[in-house]
Amino acid sequence: MNNFEKLSGSVLCGALVLVWSAYGWTQFNPYKEKKKAPVVEHQDAKPIPVKKKKKKGPKSKKASPPPEQVVSEISTETAFETGGQTVPEPTAEERVTELENEIASMKAMLARVGIVEDTAELSPSQRDRLGELETQLQQTRSDHKALLRAVENGLDAKEAEAELHRLEQQMEVLHAQMMQVRAESPASDPLAEQLTQSEERIASLEAELAALKQRLQNAEKEEQSAEETKKGLMAQMNELLPVEIFAFGDFMYYVQEDGPDNFAIGQLELDVAQDLTDEVTITAAIAYDSEAEVFGLGAFTIDGRILGADENHLRQSQKIESLGVILGQFDVPFGIDYMEYASIDRRLVTGPLVVDGTHAGWNDLGGQMYLIAPRFNTVVYGVNGYSYETYDVGPTGDEVVFEHPTAMALGGRVGVLPLEPLELGGSFAAFLNPDAEMAQLLAGGDLALNIADFELKGEYIYMKQGMDIDDSTAAHGFYAGALYDFKPVFVTGRYSTLWPDDEANEKQLSVGIGVTVFENAQIRLEYTSDLESGGSMAFLQLAGGTAWQPSGLRR
């Protein structure tokens, strides 16, 4: 089996895994809200009527059917056969919809009956009395519905209970009076009996509907109360053990044309955070180095929030979201890619070429000050910096490596949001040697656009080294990526370049597809092609954990 066949087979297997995961998500959706509503038994409930559309044709006058035939249609149009199959018990929400549709259907049918009813042999005084009672009944029903809506919108149910009871009793009295008036006419006894049964049926359904809505409302209140209780317990636990613990990691299988195919651990990190006070948080991260196969310190920060909009700041301000200082070891906020160093945050398995070829995911010791406002953000920092290397040929023809140390690095980033979903930024960092001369510099610009489920971002980085010696080198490049989240499936792609002075240019195209199997876990498939050399790799990755933004601008 050649490398191309292995690569194609791995991509196909990965695609099958993604399809299977997406199918499983449609069968069991963990994001779907599950409400446990009370079970209501419906002994005489009827299904929702299904009316067939009639073909349009020439209009013709037809005689009205007899009253008995019209009234009997109320039951015949709502009947159905199950064919010997067991009909599943509807949920409370489905039952509410069924009741509303059935009541509307029966009322429409009774409206048709009302046309025939007027021709029944009732005396003028009886008709007048029925009209008055019907008007009063409609007004009472309207008041009853309005009061129920007020309860749903926040009116205290206990305050409305007495009025609701009075209105329900009044509707029962009006129904009884209407039945009594109809019963006084011998000529309309058969029709009156059927009309009475239909109206009783409507009244029964309306009562059941009102009770069911009340039970649903009570269930929602109980759910809200349970959520508040849960939050209270979590707050008590935080008081007893005020440490938050987060973790993320990823496991992958990759195939490459010019190397072995392997399983591998990409990242594994354990993060802890503790609030020393409302304004000061200490964080630490223990990270696994997959190349050295050892654990080490990935971050340790003390974040002091000085000024901001909420009570977690020393002083409050409505114009500034957050102003604070961070000391310790952290991912240096150069550009915007540092916000996706964690594998749970990056939707592609690999990182951009230009980042790997310049600052390579800069993590350092030092301090930073950040400012976040609605349309503006900035951060400045001072850290140890990192050394750079130069190469030469020794007397014996062997390559000699010279390391040039750095005493300090100073830099910062400024971001502006001309429009709410669009952010433009610029970054700069200067590296000073022990003689306080500039030895290296980094400069760049970035763009990020987020509209609903669509993301577009890009960044340009320029690096120059050896400015304090005669032999300086430079490298620059950019990347541009896009993502669209169809939920649970997402698709993404990125084009990345790197143009170093002393090496061959590199161009890379990466495309990926993934599925969110549940809230904190994703399966991803990526295919990456080197457009200059023609080499390619394929990755199948499972990433899971908590997306944690520990401090500063990463909040």
Side-chain angles (χ1 to χ4, degrees):
M1 181 181 293
N2 58 36
N3 289 328
F4 178 77
E5 291 174 341
K6 291 193 297 181
L7 191 62
S8 301
S10 300
V11 172
L12 179 59
C13 291
L16 291 175
V17 170
L18 291 177
V19 171
W20 175 83
S21 301
Y23 173 76
W25 190 92
T26 60
Q27 301 301 313
F28 173 71
N29 182 357
Y31 297 122
K32 185 177 180 181
E33 184 178 2
K34 300 177 181 178
K35 295 184 178 179
K36 295 183 179 179
V39 177
V40 182
E41 296 183 357
H42 315 289
Q43 297 177 357
D44 56 349
K46 295 181 180 181
I48 303 173
V50 180
K51 297 183 180 180
K52 296 182 179 180
K53 294 184 178 180
K54 297 181 179 179
K55 295 182 178 179
K56 294 184 179 180
K59 295 183 179 180
S60 60
K61 295 183 178 180
K62 296 183 179 179
S64 300
E68 294 81 0
Q69 178 183 346
V70 176
V71 177
S72 65
E73 291 178 3
I74 295 176
S75 59
T76 58
E77 288 193 4
T78 58
F80 73 98
E81 297 180 359
T82 62
Q85 299 180 356
T86 302
V87 179
E89 181 73 16
T91 64
E93 290 84 355
E94 292 171 345
R95 182 58 184 161
V96 167
T97 303
E98 289 179 4
L99 290 174
E100 291 175 344
N101 290 339
E102 187 171 355
I103 290 171
S105 176
M106 294 184 71
K107 285 183 176 180
M109 192 67 67
L110 285 179
R112 292 169 53 192
V113 175
I115 300 175
V116 183
E117 181 187 1
D118 290 338
T119 64
E121 297 180 4
L122 293 174
S123 65
S125 61
Q126 287 176 322
R127 293 195 185 105
D128 293 341
R129 179 59 178 159
L130 281 176
E132 293 175 0
L133 293 174
E134 179 65 26
T135 300
Q136 295 177 21
L137 181 60
Q138 292 293 339
Q139 182 61 41
T140 305
R141 287 174 178 167
S142 177
D143 294 343
H144 188 267
K145 291 180 180 179
L147 190 55
L148 285 177
R149 284 194 298 269
V151 171
E152 293 176 357
N153 292 330
L155 180 65
D156 190 354
K158 292 183 178 180
E159 295 180 2
E161 183 177 0
E163 181 64 15
L164 285 171
H165 182 66
R166 186 189 69 79
L167 291 173
E168 290 168 358
Q169 287 183 333
Q170 185 175 347
M171 287 190 289
E172 292 177 1
V173 171
L174 291 172
H175 275 297
Q177 292 177 355
M178 292 176 67
M179 289 187 287
Q180 183 178 0
V181 171
R182 290 195 179 97
E184 293 174 356
S185 176
S188 60
D189 278 347
L191 178 61
E193 183 179 356
Q194 295 183 16
L195 287 173
T196 300
Q197 293 176 355
S198 299
E199 289 177 347
E200 289 177 348
R201 172 65 177 158
I202 291 177
S204 174
L205 292 177
E206 287 180 336
E208 182 184 355
L209 178 61
L212 188 56
K213 285 184 176 180
Q214 185 63 38
R215 291 184 183 183
L216 283 174
Q217 184 179 0
N218 293 339
E220 290 178 357
K221 289 182 178 179
E222 291 177 0
E223 186 177 350
Q224 292 176 357
S225 177
E227 185 65 24
E228 291 175 358
T229 302
K230 179 181 177 181
K231 291 180 179 179
L233 291 174
M234 293 297 295
Q236 294 178 7
M237 290 179 62
N238 289 334
E239 291 179 0
L240 296 175
L241 184 64
V243 176
E244 296 180 89
I245 300 177
F246 310 87
F248 67 86
D250 68 275
F251 183 75
M252 72 179 78
Y253 179 75
Y254 62 89
V255 178
Q256 52 188 341
E257 290 189 5
D258 54 354
D261 310 333
N262 282 317
F263 290 99
I265 295 175
Q267 294 182 4
L268 180 59
E269 184 169 311
L270 177 66
D271 306 316
V272 294
Q274 180 179 7
D275 291 329
L276 300 182
T277 67
D278 290 341
E279 302 84 12
V280 179
T281 301
I282 184 172
T283 64
I286 305 299
Y288 177 72
D289 186 341
S290 58
E291 294 183 1
E293 298 183 348
V294 295
F295 281 91
L297 183 65
F300 174 75
T301 63
I302 301 174
D303 183 3
R305 296 172 290 278
I306 302 172
L307 187 65
D310 58 40
E311 59 185 8
N312 292 326
H313 294 78
L314 191 62
R315 294 287 184 269
Q316 277 68 52
S317 172
Q318 299 303 320
K319 296 182 180 180
I320 296 176
E321 295 181 11
S322 187
L323 169 66
V325 174
I326 297 175
L327 301 175
Q329 179 178 341
F330 47 82
D331 293 329
V332 179
F334 181 92
I336 56 176
D337 189 66
Y338 77 98
M339 295 187 181
E340 295 185 349
Y341 286 170
S343 59
I344 191 64
D345 295 324
R346 192 188 298 279
R347 300 295 185 96
L348 285 170
V349 181
T350 59
L353 268 179
V354 65
V355 173
D356 294 338
T358 53
H359 59 79
W362 189 6
N363 182 279
D364 213 334
L365 288 163
Q368 60 173 287
M369 174 176 285
Y370 59 88
L371 169 65
I372 307 173
R375 297 282 184 176
F376 172 81
N377 60 77
T378 185
V379 59
V380 293
Y381 50 83
V383 293
N384 288 339
Y386 53 85
S387 61
Y388 70 95
E389 297 177 346
T390 57
Y391 305 91
D392 201 353
V393 179
T396 61
D398 297 333
E399 186 178 64
V400 180
V401 179
F402 297 94
E403 184 173 351
H404 303 272
T406 296
M408 177 180 291
L410 303 174
R413 179 185 178 274
V414 176
V416 294
L417 288 80
L419 301 173
E420 186 173 352
L422 175 65
E423 180 175 356
L424 304 175
S427 300
F428 180 84
F431 295 73
L432 305 180
N433 65 15
D435 297 327
E437 299 174 339
M438 183 180 293
Q440 305 179 67
L441 71 83
L442 286 171
D446 56 77
L447 174 150
L449 176 67
N450 293 274
I451 302 176
D453 297 321
F454 175 75
E455 297 179 10
L456 176 67
K457 60 179 58 179
E459 184 175 359
Y460 172 81
I461 301 176
Y462 175 82
M463 177 190 72
K464 188 172 184 179
Q465 296 179 336
M467 299 173 66
D468 55 341
I469 60 177
D470 295 335
D471 187 16
S472 64
T473 60
H476 65 106
F478 74 93
Y479 69 87
L483 177 142
Y484 193 89
D485 195 345
F486 293 95
K487 295 181 181 178
V489 177
F490 60 87
V491 292
T492 182
R494 182 186 63 229
Y495 177 75
S496 182
T497 65
L498 177 65
W499 297 302
D501 282 349
D502 53 352
E503 296 180 15
N505 294 341
E506 298 181 53
K507 298 178 182 178
Q508 190 180 80
L509 178 64
S510 301
V511 293
I513 184 172
V515 59
T516 302
V517 290
F518 50 88
E519 185 176 2
N520 292 323
Q522 296 175 350
I523 296 177
R524 305 161 180 167
L525 176 65
E526 177 185 332
Y527 176 78
T528 295
S529 176
D530 188 328
L531 302 181
E532 292 291 340
S533 66
S536 59
M537 293 184 69
F539 302 84
L540 179 62
Q541 180 194 56
L542 171 62
T546 306
W548 178 48
Q549 307 298 339
S551 58
L553 295 178
R554 296 186 67 179
R555 289 188 182 278

